[in-house]
Amino acid sequence: MSVALRFEQVSVSFPPRNRSEASWRAVANTTLSVDEGEFVSVVGPTGCGKSTLLNVAAGLLAPSSGEVRVFGEPLMSLNRHAGYMFQADALLPWKTTAENIGLGLMLAGVPARETAEQTRHWLAKVGLTHAAERYPHQLSGGMKKRVGMAQALIVNPKILLMDEPFSALDVQTRQLMENELLALWQNDRKSVLFITHDLEEAISLSDRVIVLSAGPDTHPIGEFLIDLQRPRDVAEIRLTPRFVELHEHIWRVLRGEVLKGYAQTVS
Amino acid sequence: MRRPFPKHLWFWQLAVALAFFTLWWGLTASGILPPFFFGEPVKVIVRVGQWFVVGDIWEHLGVTLIETLLAFVIGMILGLAVGLWLGLSATASTLADPYIKAFNAMPRVILAPIFAVWFGLGIWSKVALGVTLVFFIIFFNVYHGVREVSPVVLANARMLGASRRQLLRHIYLPSATSWVFSSLHTAVGMAFVGAVVGEYLGAAKGVGYLILQAEGAFDINTVFAGILVLTGCALLLDWGVTLVERRLLKWRPTHQ
């Protein structure tokens, strides 16, 4: 299996905001990779530079040192193979659900008829046909996430980058969305790099879970294969003994970092 | 919040105007306020009616409205262009910053005599004054609109493959538009102010000129009649803006 996305000794530093501050190294010497068709989650304490890592993978942020390779090619500008699902609201508030979903095709200059057809298809896929003409402010949190998912997937990216996409949702909606994501992913196994601070979410979705240390100088400190059978139901799989076992195992590594991260936010 | 008088709002709003006129009439007719200085509402209304029936107001009103419209459109185009330019170019905006601030802080009405010298006593000196007033309102709002674009929305559009031109068309312009519309009511009012003040300071036509003439002849009723006509026009313009706004900003939560 070939590697879709690879971080090679990547470090990211941010310049100091004023003279008295030192520069902040968010990510240090990180090497990790996502295979083609693999679902990889990255967990770490809040504020540890997980999103930074994802922005580097997207090409929105250039690493200070090291290199990102996409299907073997070094990434120099925006990652054209990747779709990005953001944590915050990223829909265009002045476009309707249908327009938002079709945005990527429209920007690429795909003929209007084909865009409309594809949009209809994706509207149905994420169950939003009835809300096609609504504007984002008229949608619920879960509906917005569905639009975001369709928006990112309609352009058929080979890699999907997800930055805590469901963290703002309530638990029930969240599990529904996770299942929908898995169902969509099951069809045409894209390579997914999924960022979360929720270990349960990470285990129930992924093939592999990578644990990051608390910031600064965040780097991977553990890697775990998740050998749970697919297709999964995220609510049910949490009750299986193997899940509990994996959770305990990973949590032992993660707990120390979470405490460190928490101590930093308090002090 | 419960809206008071939801059904008879129009009636009550009209009643306020009627009450005001009645009070005005009572005070001046009884001599508590000298009619010479405060005018007489009946005569004011008769004067307004006369203007429209005989039709000699149309010419003046037309001139004032054309000046307003031109000032508004030119000011808006300039404000939009400069606002987009400075909003998108950090170098240009830092360079221009002190000048923008200075021009904005300057009481621009004092430019009216200069414009009269430059552009003559016709409509263009009034348009120029109106433009300086409208420009800054639009400019600042476009500038903010461009600057306040959510970085996440921007990153999202870039990830979906938007070119620089497409970002301008699909992200920056719509964002700026929403800011511009929130200022459009003020901008229309300012264009009107520019036109009328310009006329007041030197013109041969226009409602401002009519008011100045009446003032010279101590015809206070005509002055009030002019003010009444101007107010009516301002209300109509404002209403027009609201209509356009409703069409173009239907995506905004506040316009539900």
Side-chain angles (χ1 to χ4, degrees):
Chain A
M1 208 183 278
S2 68
V3 176
L5 181 69
R6 182 164 177 82
F7 287 71
E8 196 85 54
Q9 292 292 319
V10 167
S11 299
V12 183
S13 301
F14 293 106
R17 265 169 295 183
N18 54 50
R19 276 184 202 175
S20 58
E21 249 177 62
S23 70
W24 169 266
R25 189 154 73 157
V27 176
N29 302 323
T30 292
T31 299
L32 64 87
S33 59
V34 181
D35 283 339
E36 234 174 292
E38 191 185 23
F39 199 125
V40 175
S41 284
V42 171
V43 282
T46 312
C48 78
K50 300 186 295 274
S51 301
T52 307
L53 216 54
L54 213 57
N55 284 334
V56 170
L60 289 166
L61 189 67
S64 318
S65 67
E67 161 175 86
V68 177
R69 287 179 167 269
V70 180
F71 294 107
E73 300 283 320
L75 182 65
M76 303 311 267
S77 59
L78 278 186
N79 190 343
R80 288 273 158 246
H81 292 289
Y84 199 136
M85 236 188 116
F86 294 83
Q87 178 179 14
D89 246 345
L91 301 178
L92 277 55
W94 40 82
K95 294 206 184 283
T96 61
T97 301
E99 287 168 340
N100 260 301
I101 291 179
L103 186 63
L105 297 181
M106 189 266 280
L107 293 174
V110 173
R113 271 187 60 187
E114 203 190 320
T115 304
E117 201 172 302
Q118 286 271 348
T119 303
R120 256 198 310 280
H121 175 67
W122 274 97
L123 275 166
K125 233 175 179 175
V126 293
L128 286 175
T129 306
H130 65 287
E133 295 310 314
R134 287 199 219 162
Y135 288 92
H137 78 266
Q138 298 163 312
L139 302 176
S140 70
M143 289 162 102
K144 280 189 215 173
K145 288 298 166 197
R146 285 201 190 113
V147 180
M149 226 191 280
Q151 190 183 49
L153 289 172
I154 197 171
V155 291
N156 200 20
K158 289 186 182 142
I159 302 171
L160 191 56
L161 307 170
M162 308 185 85
D163 184 8
E164 306 197 25
F166 309 136
S167 62
L169 303 176
D170 61 87
V171 180
Q172 284 84 12
T173 316
R174 191 171 173 166
Q175 291 190 346
L176 278 175
M177 295 302 302
E178 287 166 1
N179 274 336
E180 277 180 43
L181 171 65
L182 279 186
L184 287 173
W185 176 78
Q186 203 78 40
N187 285 333
D188 60 342
R189 303 232 168 178
K190 297 181 186 308
S191 312
V192 181
L193 186 59
F194 190 97
I195 301 279
T196 178
H197 61 257
D198 180 346
L199 182 53
E200 287 192 27
E201 185 177 46
I203 298 174
S204 53
L205 293 175
S206 318
D207 296 320
R208 193 149 53 91
V209 172
I210 294 171
V211 179
L212 291 184
S213 70
D217 291 346
T218 294
H219 57 276
I221 50 167
E223 212 181 302
F224 304 87
L225 275 176
I226 308 299
D227 48 3
L228 299 165
Q229 91 285 357
R230 291 190 189 269
R232 302 174 188 167
D233 179 292
V234 292
E236 283 167 17
I237 200 131
R238 283 166 208 222
L239 307 172
T240 61
R242 180 65 187 141
F243 182 96
V244 177
E245 199 181 321
L246 279 165
H247 188 278
E248 235 171 78
H249 192 51
I250 303 174
W251 177 243
R252 231 174 283 148
V253 178
L254 185 58
R255 188 177 52 193
E257 298 307 318
V258 170
L259 289 176
K260 250 188 258 171
Y262 178 69
Q264 279 170 5
T265 59
V266 172
S267 62
Chain B
M1 200 177 74
R2 202 175 70 93
R3 280 179 57 184
F5 318 117
K7 274 185 187 159
H8 309 295
L9 191 60
W10 275 99
F11 171 76
W12 289 106
Q13 283 173 335
L14 210 64
V16 171
L18 275 177
F20 173 77
F21 272 94
T22 314
L23 185 72
W24 183 12
W25 176 79
L27 286 173
T28 47
S30 62
I32 297 172
L33 291 174
F36 183 74
F37 293 119
F38 288 88
E40 287 158 87
V42 178
K43 285 187 183 167
V44 168
I45 288 163
V46 166
R47 170 41 55 93
V48 173
Q50 243 173 20
W51 273 344
F52 283 99
V53 170
V54 179
D56 47 2
I57 188 75
W58 292 117
E59 194 186 359
H60 296 286
L61 199 56
V63 168
T64 305
L65 286 180
I66 283 176
E67 288 162 356
T68 305
L69 226 61
L70 281 172
F72 179 64
V73 171
I74 297 173
M76 190 158 86
I77 292 171
L78 284 179
L80 204 65
V82 179
L84 278 175
W85 177 43
L86 292 191
L88 291 172
S89 158
T91 325
S93 71
T94 26
L95 198 67
D97 184 56
Y99 301 101
I100 297 281
K101 278 192 183 131
F103 273 115
N104 184 44
M106 185 174 70
R108 290 183 295 284
V109 173
I110 55 150
L111 290 175
I114 299 175
F115 287 146
V117 174
W118 286 355
F119 301 109
L121 293 178
I123 63 167
W124 291 107
S125 56
K126 288 83 190 167
V127 172
L129 183 63
V131 166
T132 62
L133 297 175
V134 171
F135 170 80
F136 282 93
I137 300 171
I138 303 289
F139 164 77
F140 279 113
N141 279 285
V142 172
Y143 185 75
H144 279 288
V146 170
R147 284 293 171 98
E148 304 277 301
V149 167
S150 148
V152 180
V153 170
L154 203 58
N156 190 20
R158 287 182 62 203
M159 284 308 291
L160 289 168
S163 65
R164 249 189 100 74
R165 273 183 69 131
Q166 288 174 323
L167 285 182
L168 193 68
R169 165 139 161 51
H170 296 289
I171 310 288
Y172 289 116
L173 264 179
S175 171
T177 316
S178 76
W179 281 71
V180 167
F181 270 98
S182 64
S183 65
L184 226 48
H185 294 277
T186 334
V188 165
M190 277 299 180
F192 213 44
V193 167
V196 174
V197 169
E199 287 165 1
Y200 194 77
L201 291 175
K205 270 177 199 157
V207 181
Y209 163 79
L210 269 189
I211 293 177
L212 183 67
Q213 291 264 299
E215 233 171 48
F218 284 103
D219 182 0
I220 220 72
N221 288 327
T222 306
V223 173
F224 277 119
I227 293 171
L228 210 63
V229 169
L230 286 179
T231 311
C233 283
L235 271 178
L236 276 179
L237 284 175
D238 199 70
W239 179 65
V241 169
T242 309
L243 282 189
V244 179
E245 195 177 36
R246 268 196 209 142
R247 271 194 75 85
L248 286 181
L249 290 187
K250 56 176 190 245
W251 56 269
R252 271 215 315 210
T254 40
H255 289 268
Q256 275 308 293

